[in-house]
Amino acid sequence: MATKNSYIPFSSIVVVVVMISCVNVSQFCYAQNVPIVKGLSWSFYDKSCPEAESIVRKQLKKVFKDDIGQAAGLLRLHFHDCFGCDGSVLLDGSASGPSEQDAPPNLTLRARAFEIINDLRARIHKKCGQVVSCSDIAALAARDSVFLSGGPDYPVPLGRRDGLTFATQNATSANLPSPRSNASVILASLETKKLDATDTVALSGGHTIGLSHCSSFTNRLYPTQDPVMDQTFAKNLKAVCPAATTNATTVLDIRSPDLFDNKYYVDLMNRQGLFTSDQDLYSYSKTKNIVIDFAVNQTLFFEKFFVAMTKMGQLSVLTGSQGEIRANCSVRNSDNKAYLASVVDEDGERLSAF
Ligand code: HEM
């Protein structure tokens, strides 16, 4: 996991001019409003693998037709990879230590999400060779999860390289805030990554899809019920989770659990947010009005979500000659030599593993 990120400075004048020219929320307009890190580009694979994005989208359409829940798993996987978006969360543990996957916040990532990423990698490498990184595939899969669940379509800057190291469990836990944190703690945590209050509220809108285990929110039910929580909502949650440790799941957004929309913010305004970290965004003075703005204006939420995801998706990325392009998203190439040797193709140079 790299430690530094370097944004290309954008003058506010440029941003204002561009925004005025972007009346429609097209992919093109989205792309111009956010600075991108040196080494990433909106057209990175245009020559080396122009099919990469269409392969991801086509395959995910099929996956989600069978189970739309996988969209939430993939969106969360990208978030947990970021704060070093280098594919390190995808690595299995090795002789040099346990993987990021073993860190407590990652234990509830869906196993199927890891399989889907590796399957996408295999499809892309089959078409283009070993040129597209696992971290880029995870970023594209997150975008398509949003779009195919009803959310905005937006471009993703590409060119990330895959990391050679994985974060320690302590670093992972420190980077991923707890659902029991209040808004001020969440804001402070994301501020260290140069994500502001609007970014934080927009990113939390990722909870418009997907599931949570009881253990992530029963602190609000037992031993005493959080007085902020809506009574009927609390009663229904207690039925799903009769004890703090019940092994069951419930939806994050009761109004439209599988749809990427702005109803999560409507939930918060009705005191039906699942986690303290969600609900407190509506109590805290610095974030309350942003919640209201997003609850009444879905287009605004979508725009700010794109901006925040694009910022988050570039945190501590590896580019250029840093890192590597993994032949298998779960294993560093150095741990995978025997496997790679068996799949060197006829010209003896390009490797592709399926
Ligand atoms: C701001 C701090 C955040 C906290 C404290 C947090 C916490 C959590 C927790 C505790 C769960 C449920 C885990 C479980 O019990 O199974 C969860 C699920 C989820 N989170 Fe977050 N999260 C945060 C930010 C984000 C961001 C930025 C995104 C994406 C943009 C995101 C997307 C998701 C999704 C989609 C799920 C559902 C996953 C599934 O159904 O498999 N979260 N989050």
Side-chain angles (χ1 to χ4, degrees):
M1 189 167 80
T3 50
K4 273 177 79 179
N5 63 312
S6 50
Y7 290 110
I8 301 167
F10 240 39
S11 88
S12 52
I13 296 170
V14 171
V15 174
V16 170
V17 169
V18 167
M19 288 184 79
I20 289 166
S21 71
C22 284
V23 195
N24 292 321
V25 184
S26 66
Q27 271 222 6
F28 177 70
C29 283
Y30 272 141
Q32 293 182 62
N33 290 332
V34 189
I36 60 170
V37 165
K38 192 164 176 272
L40 297 187
S41 137
W42 300 109
S43 52
F44 193 82
Y45 298 114
D46 277 9
K47 289 210 172 79
S48 59
C49 191
E51 303 87 352
E53 298 204 28
S54 57
I55 292 172
V56 173
R57 180 152 301 182
K58 197 171 148 212
Q59 182 57 20
L60 288 183
K61 260 187 203 165
K62 283 190 198 155
V63 171
F64 299 160
K65 204 167 164 228
D66 289 343
D67 180 4
I68 189 62
Q70 298 305 332
L74 288 166
L75 176 57
R76 187 168 183 233
L77 183 64
H78 175 54
F79 164 53
H80 283 222
D81 189 34
C82 283
F83 308 130
C85 313
D86 62 354
S88 52
V89 76
L90 303 172
L91 290 171
D92 290 340
S94 75
S96 58
S99 72
E100 276 175 55
Q101 291 162 31
D102 297 324
N106 288 336
L107 292 174
T108 46
L109 289 173
R110 297 188 192 215
R112 180 86 179 100
F114 293 92
E115 290 166 14
I116 294 169
I117 297 292
N118 241 334
D119 174 64
L120 291 170
R121 180 208 51 74
R123 288 169 191 276
I124 291 171
H125 287 190
K126 186 172 183 186
K127 184 80 187 173
C128 304
Q130 196 178 323
V131 293
V132 180
S133 65
C134 296
S135 40
D136 272 349
I137 293 170
L140 288 173
R143 185 272 310 273
D144 285 355
S145 296
V146 169
F147 174 62
L148 296 171
S149 303
D153 198 3
Y154 55 86
V156 178
L158 297 170
R160 294 168 191 77
R161 308 263 302 171
D162 296 323
L164 303 173
T165 55
F166 29 121
T168 61
Q169 291 199 19
N170 282 348
T172 305
S173 299
N175 275 325
L176 293 169
S178 159
R180 298 174 181 215
S181 311
N182 63 26
S184 126
V185 170
I186 298 283
L187 280 187
S189 166
L190 273 68
E191 215 167 65
T192 63
K193 323 284 177 196
K194 297 197 166 60
L195 294 164
D196 62 22
T198 304
D199 297 326
T200 302
V201 177
L203 285 173
S204 299
H207 291 170
T208 178
I209 54 173
L211 302 174
S212 168
H213 291 82
C214 297
S215 55
S216 298
F217 58 84
T218 42
N219 65 304
R220 300 185 67 205
L221 301 174
Y222 311 114
T224 46
Q225 192 182 308
D226 182 340
V228 176
M229 193 183 272
D230 170 69
Q231 287 298 342
T232 311
F233 184 58
K235 195 171 141 233
N236 292 340
L237 290 179
K238 282 179 180 167
V240 177
C241 311
T245 52
T246 307
N247 186 18
T249 56
T250 190
V251 297
L252 292 173
D253 168 12
I254 49 163
R255 286 185 167 69
S256 53
D258 293 329
L259 200 58
F260 195 100
D261 58 10
N262 64 340
K263 294 291 188 295
Y264 160 85
Y265 300 102
V266 178
D267 297 339
L268 301 189
M269 291 182 69
N270 286 282
R271 300 186 292 125
Q272 294 157 334
L274 198 56
F275 307 138
T276 307
S277 59
D278 292 320
Q279 190 56 58
D280 202 44
L281 295 172
Y282 186 60
S283 307
Y284 191 46
S285 58
K286 287 189 184 163
T287 46
K288 181 170 186 159
N289 285 335
I290 308 172
V291 170
I292 298 171
D293 288 347
F294 290 168
V296 299
N297 186 344
Q298 179 165 277
T299 306
L300 180 69
F301 163 49
F302 285 180
E303 284 171 16
K304 299 299 182 192
F305 183 78
F306 158 70
V307 172
M309 280 292 277
T310 310
K311 283 188 191 175
M312 185 186 83
Q314 301 185 78
L315 289 172
S316 303
V317 288
L318 302 176
T319 59
S321 58
Q322 298 170 313
E324 62 184 7
I325 304 296
R326 272 184 222 141
N328 173 346
C329 293
S330 329
V331 189
R332 291 176 290 202
N333 291 343
S334 58
D335 295 332
N336 200 23
K337 276 189 189 127
Y339 177 61
L340 288 176
S342 67
V343 292
V344 173
D345 69 9
E346 12 355 314
D347 63 11
E349 286 176 356
R350 209 177 61 187
L351 297 163
S352 59
F354 315 112

